[in-house]
Each structure stands twice: as structure tokens, then as C-alpha cells.
Amino acid sequence: MKIPYYTEDIDDDAFFGCSGFNSLKSYYNIKHIGKTAFSWCTGFKGSLLIQSSNIDMEYGAFSFCYGFDGRLIIPNNITTIGNSLFRGCSGLNSTLTIPDTVINIESSAFNGCCGLNGELKIPKSVTSLSDLVFANCSGFTSLTIYDS
């Protein structure tokens, strides 16, 4: 699914519970993704690519999505990965790369994610890891936390 280039705002629950996405690609001018906008979506094939660098993603925007078989690409210039943003996602078949611009990772941001493989790198820019950020995750082969 490609979100039209002129879209700036995706409202709360806009695609809640949808299925059959081949992939999800957003364009640079999206400024806001509402609460649980893509929550409980199923059957993603391919990658989740968020290209906007100045975007506000609210509570649980992608929570409990499953069926991913591609990469999760978090955009550069994001400073906060919000509360429960990717909580409970499954089938993410890639290494999780957190950009060097992230300062805060809020509560349960990746709680319960499974299928992640490879290394988890937390960059030195991260100064705050809230509770349960990576609780119940599976698939990581190593963890690297850089000194700040």
C-alpha cells in the first residue's frame, strides 16, 4: 500500500484491523499517524518503510500487527519511539536498527515483538529507555548498547 504523496495526517484507527497489505510505504510529507492507526493489521508482505523525518506517531500506531515478512525501517531524525508504537508485532524478519537521532524509547515500544533476527543496536544517542521496552521479544542474536 502506498499512501498518497499529498497525505499529511492519518487519523486514529484509520486502518485498524485491515489485512492483505503487500507493503506499507509512506511519503515524506506525512506529519502525523494517529493512535492505533494501523493496529491489528494482518498479512503485511514486505517492509514497513516510514520516510518522513518530521513525524509524530501516536500511541500504538502499529501495535499488534502480524504477518510481516520484511524489514521495519525507522526514519532518521525521529527523536522518540513512542509508547507501545510497535508492541506485539510479529514476523518482523530483520535486524532492528534504531537511528542515531533517537533519544527516548518509551514504555513497551517493542514489547512482545517476535521474529526479529540479528543484532539489536541501541545507539549512544539514546538517553532514556523506559520500562518494558523490549520485554517478551524474541529472535535477537546479540545486543549492543553504546556508551553516551
Side-chain angles (χ1 to χ4, degrees):
M1 177 171 115
K2 289 184 182 178
I3 297 170
Y5 70 92
Y6 50 82
T7 303
E8 291 185 3
D9 184 55
I10 298 172
D11 288 336
D12 295 356
D13 301 320
F15 296 96
F16 186 95
C18 288
S19 64
F21 293 116
N22 285 333
S23 64
L24 178 61
K25 178 180 180 180
S26 71
Y27 287 93
Y28 294 97
N29 42 335
I30 291 181
K31 305 285 186 246
H32 174 259
I33 297 176
K35 292 177 187 169
T36 60
F38 293 94
S39 190
W40 292 99
C41 289
T42 63
F44 278 97
K45 301 292 181 200
S47 298
L48 171 58
L49 172 60
I50 303 164
Q51 296 185 90
S52 298
S53 59
N54 184 22
I55 188 170
D56 173 37
M57 295 182 281
E58 289 196 38
Y59 175 87
F62 296 96
S63 60
F64 300 102
C65 290
Y66 60 94
F68 282 106
D69 67 356
R71 298 177 299 147
L72 168 60
I73 302 167
I74 300 170
N76 290 324
N77 297 329
I78 292 291
T79 58
T80 298
I81 297 174
N83 191 332
S84 296
L85 189 62
F86 298 103
R87 182 180 187 163
C89 289
S90 67
L92 294 165
N93 189 19
S94 68
T95 296
L96 178 58
T97 302
I98 297 171
D100 290 337
T101 56
V102 172
I103 298 168
N104 302 306
I105 303 177
E106 294 181 349
S107 180
S108 296
F110 298 97
N111 185 342
C113 288
C114 61
L116 295 160
N117 61 46
E119 187 175 11
L120 169 59
K121 293 181 180 180
I122 300 177
K124 64 182 176 181
S125 61
V126 174
T127 58
S128 174
L129 277 174
S130 296
D131 61 319
L132 303 172
V133 169
F134 297 105
N136 304 306
C137 287
S138 65
F140 293 119
T141 57
S142 65
L143 169 65
T144 303
I145 301 174
Y146 293 97
D147 283 335
S148 54

